[in-house]
Amino acid sequence: MNWGDAPGWGALVVAIVAAVFSGVALKHSNASADAAKRSADSSDRSAAAAERSAVVDEATLAEIRRETEERRAAEEEAARPRPAFVVEASARQAWDGTQAPYRRYILRNTGTGPATNVRGMLPEQTGVSVNFPFGESLRPGEGYEFTVDEDGRFPPVIAIHLTWDGQDEPVAVPVPQ
């Protein structure tokens, strides 16, 4: 063996070892790149899931706020003072032969709030003389006296219809007999 070839053989061995290490490093590099890609994909999926969760949370929070606002508004509306009416019978006027007999009633606000511009009317009964309130204001507990003629020509008044500011649809109030 000639020692002149030794450095060439040594270089060959080093080159083979370097090639083996390079192949192993390439394999690890590819595995690392695949892992990095999987990690990036997982991160993207996680970010998308977090975004969807945030959108759902925002929608849920908005729904909860809306329901809370509706509930609060309903509670405020229920707690708001409101008028309520009853008709109480007063003393009957005796017939003395000179005038038609009539009946006196008191329209009373039994609610918790005032009623302004109270207007009364009879449903589908014409010819009955009644001095209903028209434009009266009644605070809680206050009453308005009115009379109904009872001459027997018309059926008895069994209800009056009332409207007031804030209540445009007539409300039927029974009249005691």
Side-chain angles (χ1 to χ4, degrees):
M1 176 155 139
N2 185 356
W3 284 104
D5 291 333
W9 286 106
L12 177 65
V13 170
V14 169
I16 291 173
V17 169
V20 168
F21 278 116
S22 176
V24 170
L26 180 62
K27 179 181 171 191
H28 287 304
S29 173
N30 286 338
S32 178
D34 289 343
K37 185 175 184 206
R38 285 192 308 271
S39 176
D41 291 343
S42 176
S43 175
D44 288 345
R45 286 191 308 272
S46 177
E51 188 174 327
R52 285 190 306 270
S53 177
V55 168
V56 168
D57 288 347
E58 287 176 10
T60 302
L61 183 59
E63 180 68 18
I64 289 171
R65 285 182 179 156
R66 185 189 59 76
E67 288 175 359
T68 302
E69 180 63 26
E70 287 175 358
R71 187 178 321 110
R72 185 190 59 76
E75 288 171 356
E76 284 179 2
E77 182 66 20
R80 184 174 62 90
R82 299 180 188 282
F85 294 97
V86 296
V87 175
E88 303 167 352
S90 189
R92 181 181 294 271
Q93 175 69 30
W95 186 61
D96 63 4
T98 61
Q99 63 181 14
Y102 62 90
R103 179 76 187 233
R104 292 186 344 196
Y105 296 98
I106 299 173
L107 173 66
R108 189 165 309 280
N109 181 357
T110 58
T112 57
T116 56
N117 197 21
V118 177
R119 297 167 306 279
M121 63 197 92
L122 285 174
E124 301 177 14
Q125 290 181 339
T126 58
V128 176
S129 175
V130 179
N131 63 339
F132 276 140
F134 190 80
E136 297 294 324
S137 292
L138 298 173
R139 292 190 305 258
E142 287 186 337
Y144 177 86
E145 187 173 68
F146 66 96
T147 59
V148 176
D149 288 349
E150 296 179 338
D151 63 3
R153 293 181 298 161
F154 301 100
V157 175
I158 57 172
I160 61 171
H161 289 189
L162 299 175
T163 60
W164 59 91
D165 288 349
Q167 178 64 45
D168 296 329
E169 186 71 26
V171 175
V173 180
V175 173
Q177 299 300 310

